[in-house]
Amino acid sequence: MKRERNNHTRWVDETSPFHYKYPYAAFYRRQLLENTVSGEDYHDRAYRELELSGHERILIVGSGNGLDEVRLSVEHGHEGEIVGLEVPSTDVSFEDRFIVAQQMLDDAGKSNVRFVGGNALSLPFPDNTFDVIVWPYLSYHIVDRFQALTEAQRVLDRGGKFMHLTNNIGNKEKFHEIVNEIKMRLGVEGHAPLSAGFSLPDSQMVLRHFFNPVKELVQDTKYIVTEDDLYLLEAAVDSYRAPISKESSNGWVDVRRAVFEERVLPEIERTGKFLDTAKRGGGIYENNLRLKGFQRLIGQYSIRKNK
């Protein structure tokens, strides 16, 4: 099954080496999982489970492209202050990372969102600043999770809510088989999902020592890729190209096309769709002063054990 590559696909091929410098990678990987068999909008459900009044002070750590802030402010109609925190990049101006999100906010007449440069290990806010803190697929990127969780406790008000989202074991199984096959053919050793360092079971073991568990957020379904949205799968796979050597990266696109011809396109031709697993999860927790001191030391030990 041969396809004419449209302009969007060519753009993906040309920009994929930069996916880790710009917030496109996370966008494509998340978009890939949104077209589920169950039809569930997982992130909409997660934010509704917070049961917000509409006036809470919210901090999203690991803002990415700012679209979670847009969802809360525009789609959910939140009126309280929403702060998106992201590590600044030397390759692109900080404001440019949020240019699409800011335009959507401006179009909706919303002015309650701001984006701030910073790091989860040293949050640039006073104690007890926020009513809600969200970590959306952030935790497995943090080197010192104990320090980051301690900082989250510090700036979260007493009784405030902490929402953590990550991927579950077995998420995008066929996707990772494809990435692994590409890397093997390019002579790149080793591949694991980004979330392997802190998946859902890991977070459930650790976070209860820092916050009081209130509610689980689990999704176990499948996502669908058709020929029309195959570019999302291509872009998401290509986002794993950036960390490898320049020599291997130069051959990535040709190898990826060959693997797709063998593994993806025949399934779409035969059934009209490519199906893969969508397994995500997390939880909503409460900031409780009782879970400090000795209990937090147990949490530190569980983090070290998790490594």
Side-chain angles (χ1 to χ4, degrees):
M1 179 176 163
K2 302 290 184 183
R3 299 179 301 113
E4 288 294 325
R5 293 169 60 238
N6 58 34
N7 288 332
H8 198 151
T9 304
R10 285 197 293 273
W11 178 84
V12 168
D13 291 344
E14 292 164 3
T15 61
S16 56
F18 304 101
H19 274 173
Y20 274 61
K21 296 180 180 179
Y22 301 90
Y24 301 127
F27 171 77
Y28 282 122
R29 286 199 293 269
R30 186 183 291 191
Q31 285 296 109
L32 185 65
L33 291 171
E34 291 307 305
N35 189 27
T36 62
V37 171
S38 62
E40 178 187 48
D41 186 330
Y42 176 73
H43 296 91
D44 183 73
R45 171 195 152 203
Y47 284 119
R48 294 195 185 282
E49 292 283 3
L50 281 169
E51 298 179 345
L52 300 173
S53 70
H55 301 284
E56 292 88 351
R57 302 160 296 172
I58 300 175
L59 171 65
I60 298 181
V61 185
S63 183
N65 51 24
L67 295 185
D68 279 315
E69 290 82 348
V70 172
R71 167 162 278 188
L72 280 169
S73 180
V74 177
E75 296 180 24
H76 288 235
H78 195 80
E79 298 296 333
E81 182 185 32
I82 303 172
V83 178
L85 183 126
E86 186 55 73
V87 178
S89 170
T90 58
D91 299 284
V92 63
S93 72
F94 188 75
E95 293 76 14
D96 284 349
R97 298 193 67 170
F98 306 102
I99 190 167
V100 174
Q102 192 59 60
Q103 186 62 57
M104 295 170 74
L105 291 165
D106 292 344
D107 290 346
K110 301 288 287 190
S111 59
N112 62 324
V113 176
R114 62 188 176 101
F115 300 104
V116 176
N119 193 299
L121 303 182
S122 182
L123 296 173
F125 310 106
D127 296 358
N128 310 314
T129 299
F130 297 98
D131 304 300
V132 177
I133 293 179
V134 181
W135 277 17
Y137 309 97
L138 165 77
S139 52
Y140 43 82
H141 294 292
I142 297 175
V143 176
D144 190 344
R145 279 185 281 273
F146 177 77
Q147 176 63 25
L149 286 167
T150 301
E151 276 291 277
Q153 282 184 319
R154 179 183 67 79
V155 303
L156 185 60
D157 207 356
R158 183 175 182 177
K161 295 178 180 179
F162 177 84
M163 185 166 80
H164 177 261
L165 301 176
T166 187
N167 293 321
N168 206 346
I169 294 172
N171 184 54
K172 297 193 297 187
E173 287 183 325
K174 289 161 70 173
F175 173 96
H176 288 292
E177 288 174 1
I178 289 168
V179 175
N180 188 56
E181 178 66 23
I182 295 170
K183 287 185 174 182
M184 285 179 59
R185 294 189 188 188
L186 290 170
V188 179
E189 294 184 3
H191 170 72
L194 291 174
S195 58
F198 204 69
S199 62
L200 180 60
D202 302 321
S203 70
Q204 290 171 329
M205 177 182 69
V206 169
L207 293 182
R208 61 189 174 89
H209 297 298
F210 292 85
F211 302 99
N212 183 41
V214 174
K215 193 176 295 183
E216 251 190 11
L217 300 169
V218 178
Q219 181 189 54
D220 189 350
T221 182
K222 290 185 179 293
Y223 67 89
I224 306 170
V225 175
T226 66
E227 188 172 0
D228 289 338
D229 45 33
L230 188 59
Y231 71 90
L232 286 175
L233 182 61
E234 293 175 338
V237 166
D238 283 356
S239 71
Y240 281 83
R241 170 186 180 184
I244 66 178
S245 70
K246 184 177 180 180
E247 182 180 354
S248 296
S249 179
N250 289 338
W252 180 281
V253 172
D254 288 338
V255 174
R256 184 255 293 156
R257 287 178 186 149
V259 173
F260 269 50
E261 290 284 346
E262 297 169 15
R263 288 176 172 255
V264 179
L265 300 184
E267 183 174 336
I268 293 177
E269 187 173 44
R270 186 175 66 255
T271 67
K273 56 186 178 292
F274 174 82
L275 290 176
D276 196 6
T277 57
K279 296 185 178 182
R280 295 177 280 186
I284 296 173
Y285 300 78
E286 182 185 43
N287 197 23
N288 191 318
L289 290 178
R290 291 186 298 106
L291 293 177
K292 292 193 175 182
F294 180 70
Q295 186 74 8
R296 197 160 63 182
L297 290 176
I298 298 175
Q300 185 178 27
Y301 170 76
S302 67
I303 289 174
R304 290 173 177 170
K305 187 177 179 181
N306 173 253
K307 290 181 180 178

